[in-house]
Amino acid sequence: MDTVSVIVPFLNEADCITQYCDFINQYAKDKPFGVEVIFVDDGSTDNTDDVIAAYDFMHCKAVKLVTLSKNHGSHAAIRAGIFHAEGDYITYVGADLQEPDEMVTLMYDTIKNGLDAVYVEKKRVKVNPVNRACSLLYSAMMRRWAVKNYGAGGVNNIMFNRKIRDYLNNNIESNSSLMLQIIAAGFKSVTIKMDYKNRVGGVSKWTLGKKMKLFIDSFVAFSFVPIRFVSIMGILMFLAGVGFGVFTIVNRILNPGAAAGFATLASLLAIGFGITNISLGIVAEYLWRTFDAARNRPVFLISEVKGIK
């Protein structure tokens, strides 16, 4: 019988972790596959760990609690869970019970048809219109300039086989996107759409700062467009400077008494310095990631691995 490893990264989810434990324990009952649950504590400061450790997962095949040394971020937490996953197929879900109850089963039934991965896209989304618009813009930019086969509606969850697990464990990337790394590799996959639910408790830890970091990481790690932008801006500024120089010379010849264009010169300087600083920032992002990769520091540090069952 196959085993499905379900990775559950969490950060201070004491308000809803009991409900999730109840759900996953009942879900594992009478399934055509065994369920291995890997909880990953991404630097929690509440008692979520204690609740998980005390719970009786009678229907799960195996349960592990991986505790990270600090808050490394959700992608690093999922990578830590993948590193300890022993199932034939691996997926991850949130502890807030937003994923559909039947999602894991549907992904399993789909991936069994000779696929390496199954992606899940939100079919109906009840979120702030601004957040939805930003999500769609992110997906469009990814498809246009980074990973061509990224889903138009985004990708929220994934199930993959051991081949991809080994690929990820052998290529642990820092300052990167786990999902984009899998999609960009070109494994045989399919996308399914499902309805998601609202959180059962607590608040989302997906802050604006984390969203911005993912946006920057996605482009810097998977696209040459930012660095190409620097070259294009340099060429455009050079042409603008040449054009302004020619205009100034011709204007002087035709209108010797014309006032000097101080305002125009100041505007051009401001634009030029602004674009220069933006370009330096983009180059610095690439240099920082090169330096970070050269140091070869671990993406996550595991403090403890506890076998609950």
Side-chain angles (χ1 to χ4, degrees):
M1 184 172 65
D2 291 332
T3 299
V4 174
S5 295
V6 180
I7 300 168
V8 188
F10 65 88
L11 174 63
N12 296 330
E13 295 288 2
D15 293 334
C16 59
I17 196 63
T18 300
Q19 293 96 311
Y20 181 81
C21 291
D22 290 338
F23 163 75
I24 195 65
N25 184 52
Q26 287 302 314
Y27 173 81
K29 184 179 180 181
D30 299 328
K31 285 294 181 293
F33 50 84
V35 177
E36 177 192 45
V37 187
I38 305 173
F39 292 96
V40 184
D41 181 358
D42 190 24
S44 295
T45 56
D46 60 7
N47 67 331
T48 309
D49 280 9
D50 297 332
V51 175
I52 295 172
Y55 195 90
D56 182 15
F57 295 92
M58 65 179 67
H59 300 305
C60 297
K61 181 177 181 179
V63 181
K64 299 175 184 177
L65 175 58
V66 179
T67 304
L68 303 186
S69 61
K70 64 175 184 178
N71 177 230
H72 290 276
S74 60
H75 284 245
I78 294 171
R79 288 182 185 276
I82 294 172
F83 195 78
H84 288 85
E86 299 179 2
D88 301 283
Y89 302 99
I90 299 97
T91 186
Y92 66 84
V93 299
D96 51 16
L97 289 171
Q98 286 188 296
E99 284 85 0
D101 295 349
E102 70 280 10
M103 184 186 73
V104 174
T105 301
L106 181 57
M107 286 194 297
Y108 174 78
D109 292 339
T110 305
I111 201 172
K112 290 288 289 181
N113 298 320
L115 298 171
D116 295 318
V118 175
Y119 308 123
V120 182
E121 176 184 326
K122 285 184 179 180
K123 182 166 59 176
R124 185 174 59 205
V125 186
K126 298 179 181 179
V127 296
N128 184 293
V130 176
N131 291 339
R132 179 57 176 165
C134 292
S135 178
L136 291 176
L137 178 61
Y138 172 82
S139 298
M141 295 176 72
M142 288 298 103
R143 289 170 61 87
R144 177 65 179 84
W145 290 303
V147 181
K148 304 299 182 183
N149 54 337
Y150 188 77
V155 179
N156 294 86
N157 293 87
I158 181 176
M159 177 178 284
F160 50 87
N161 57 18
R162 288 184 176 181
K163 178 167 63 175
I164 296 182
R165 180 201 64 180
D166 295 340
Y167 162 72
L168 293 173
N169 287 340
N170 292 328
N171 299 274
I172 299 178
E173 298 181 357
S174 61
N175 299 307
S176 182
S177 166
L178 175 70
M179 191 69 69
L180 289 178
Q181 184 181 355
I182 297 174
I183 297 174
F187 291 102
K188 189 176 181 181
S189 62
V190 70
T191 299
I192 59 177
K193 296 183 179 181
M194 304 190 72
D195 294 331
Y196 280 61
K197 302 176 292 184
N198 295 323
R199 291 179 62 93
V200 298
V203 295
S204 174
K205 312 307 185 298
W206 191 232
T207 63
L208 178 61
K210 292 180 179 179
K211 293 177 182 178
M212 289 300 298
K213 184 180 186 304
L214 176 62
F215 178 80
I216 295 172
D217 288 345
S218 298
F219 271 98
V220 175
F222 296 96
S223 175
F224 60 84
V225 169
I227 207 72
R228 181 67 56 82
F229 169 80
V230 175
S231 301
I232 293 174
M233 286 298 100
I235 294 173
L236 291 178
M237 285 304 299
F238 171 76
L239 295 176
V242 171
F244 180 69
V246 171
F247 170 77
T248 302
I249 294 172
V250 172
N251 188 51
R252 247 329 166 183
I253 295 173
L254 298 178
N255 302 290
F262 174 77
T264 304
L265 181 60
S267 299
L268 287 175
L269 287 174
I271 294 173
F273 281 120
I275 293 178
T276 299
N277 286 331
I278 292 173
S279 302
L280 288 175
I282 293 173
V283 174
E285 288 287 348
Y286 280 94
L287 288 176
W288 163 251
R289 280 158 174 74
T290 302
F291 174 61
D292 195 38
R295 291 186 302 184
N296 199 29
R297 289 181 179 177
V299 175
F300 53 85
L301 289 174
I302 297 174
S303 176
E304 180 183 14
V305 179
K306 183 184 297 184
I308 298 177
K309 181 181 179 182

